[in-house]
Amino acid sequence: MSSNAPRRPVRDLRFFLTVPHACSYLPDKEATTLFLDPQESPVPGVYDSLSLLGFRRSGRHLYRPHCEGCNACRSVRIPVNGFKPNRTQRKVWQRNTDITVRAMPAHFDPGHYALYADYIRLRHADGDMYPPSRDQYRTFLTLQEPYAHLMELRLEDELVAVAAFDQLEHGLSAIYTFFKVDDALEKRSLGTYAILQLIALCESRQLPHLYLGYWIEECRKMRYKQAFSPIEVLDGRHWRPLIR
């Protein structure tokens, strides 16, 4: 994503805080979210600048955690040129050479939604996206903007996974991945494979980073992110190698 329009300084933008609400990741914790004024569309330039400061996109909203007394949510990204797949990741890549991959604009597709609905019902029935609905899916993952994309993964023409991602000036931002929940597909590790494909897409488009959103060391569901190495974490306004 690129734009020749002049950038609007971040200091000129308006932001709001949500009221405290239950944290989606850590039990017995409250969360507060800082978000860009909804009247401000996440346009190129603004989006690029805010993503460097740890903001993420959900639908038309740009946000980041802003919790009093807690900084457990840390923005992480993979520096593509330095990425070295580990033994497990190399095996995942080899297991999925029969899968076809195609990127497209982030428009609504009934087949994508059916896969998403099954994924939420089977994997995240205890989460805040349950029960799934078409309106929820459209609001979350479909957006008619030039930077918003979906990546389809098909096995013998059957849709098995979809990865939503955005193209920024300085990388790709992985928004959300969902896949077919099936014991026969478990060894393929489709979530990991989708990230490996996004890394490959960064390389082909000569983009330096893949942004993976937030990482919480104490959250089991986020531990897969630390398997990608090297990985960088946002420390204030600076990105530094994550040392564990």
Side-chain angles (χ1 to χ4, degrees):
M1 178 180 68
S2 62
S3 173
N4 294 322
R7 289 180 181 271
R8 184 173 175 188
V10 171
R11 65 177 177 273
D12 292 343
L13 301 172
R14 292 204 306 168
F15 297 87
F16 297 93
L17 282 174
T18 65
V19 297
H21 53 277
C23 179
S24 300
Y25 302 108
L26 297 176
D28 304 320
K29 293 280 189 178
E30 282 195 333
T32 306
T33 304
L34 178 70
F35 63 95
L36 180 65
D37 184 346
Q39 301 301 316
E40 297 276 0
S41 179
V43 295
V46 168
Y47 189 2
D48 289 307
S49 296
L50 290 179
S51 65
L52 289 172
L53 298 175
F55 280 76
R56 298 279 291 162
R57 182 179 69 82
S58 177
R60 302 200 66 85
H61 300 290
L62 295 179
Y63 71 95
R64 75 177 184 191
H66 192 83
C67 305
E68 184 175 353
C70 180
N71 60 355
C73 291
R74 308 182 73 186
S75 297
V76 290
R77 70 183 186 184
I78 298 169
V80 171
N81 288 340
F83 172 66
K84 303 292 185 185
N86 60 28
R87 185 168 178 265
T88 299
Q89 291 159 353
R90 292 195 298 271
K91 285 184 175 181
V92 168
W93 186 269
Q94 289 299 319
R95 287 190 193 117
N96 291 292
T97 54
D98 53 348
I99 285 182
T100 58
V101 180
R102 181 169 70 107
M104 63 198 68
H107 297 166
F108 181 82
D109 180 283
H112 294 175
Y113 171 69
L115 182 66
Y116 169 84
D118 285 345
Y119 176 78
I120 295 299
R121 283 192 290 262
L122 293 172
R123 291 289 293 266
H124 296 290
D126 59 344
D128 54 14
M129 291 190 292
Y130 182 86
S133 71
R134 286 183 176 239
D135 286 345
Q136 172 216 56
Y137 175 82
R138 286 178 185 272
T139 300
F140 180 31
L141 294 179
T142 67
L143 188 66
Q144 294 190 22
E145 292 287 353
Y147 54 75
H149 303 274
L150 298 172
M151 175 185 283
E152 277 190 349
L153 284 73
R154 290 184 177 271
L155 177 62
E156 296 179 353
D157 204 40
E158 179 188 10
L159 182 69
V160 293
V162 175
F165 69 96
D166 290 345
Q167 180 162 338
L168 308 172
E169 287 183 349
H170 41 78
L172 299 181
S173 177
I175 303 297
Y176 195 73
T177 299
F178 52 95
F179 49 83
K180 184 174 182 180
V181 180
D182 187 324
D183 290 344
L185 297 173
E186 187 174 352
K187 288 186 178 180
R188 289 180 175 269
S189 300
L190 291 171
T192 294
Y193 185 61
I195 294 176
L196 294 173
Q197 281 289 348
L198 289 175
I199 292 171
L201 188 58
C202 284
E203 291 175 335
S204 68
R205 297 184 179 182
Q206 298 184 313
L207 295 168
H209 299 104
L210 175 62
Y211 292 81
L212 292 182
Y214 302 115
W215 171 72
I216 301 175
E217 188 172 8
E218 298 87 353
C219 181
R220 179 182 56 81
K221 292 180 179 179
M222 291 189 178
R223 287 178 187 162
Y224 72 92
K225 297 181 182 182
Q226 66 194 53
F228 293 86
S229 181
I231 196 164
E232 296 176 341
V233 62
L234 182 62
D235 180 9
R237 291 178 174 266
H238 302 284
W239 292 88
R240 309 184 191 281
L242 176 62
I243 300 174
R244 296 182 300 276

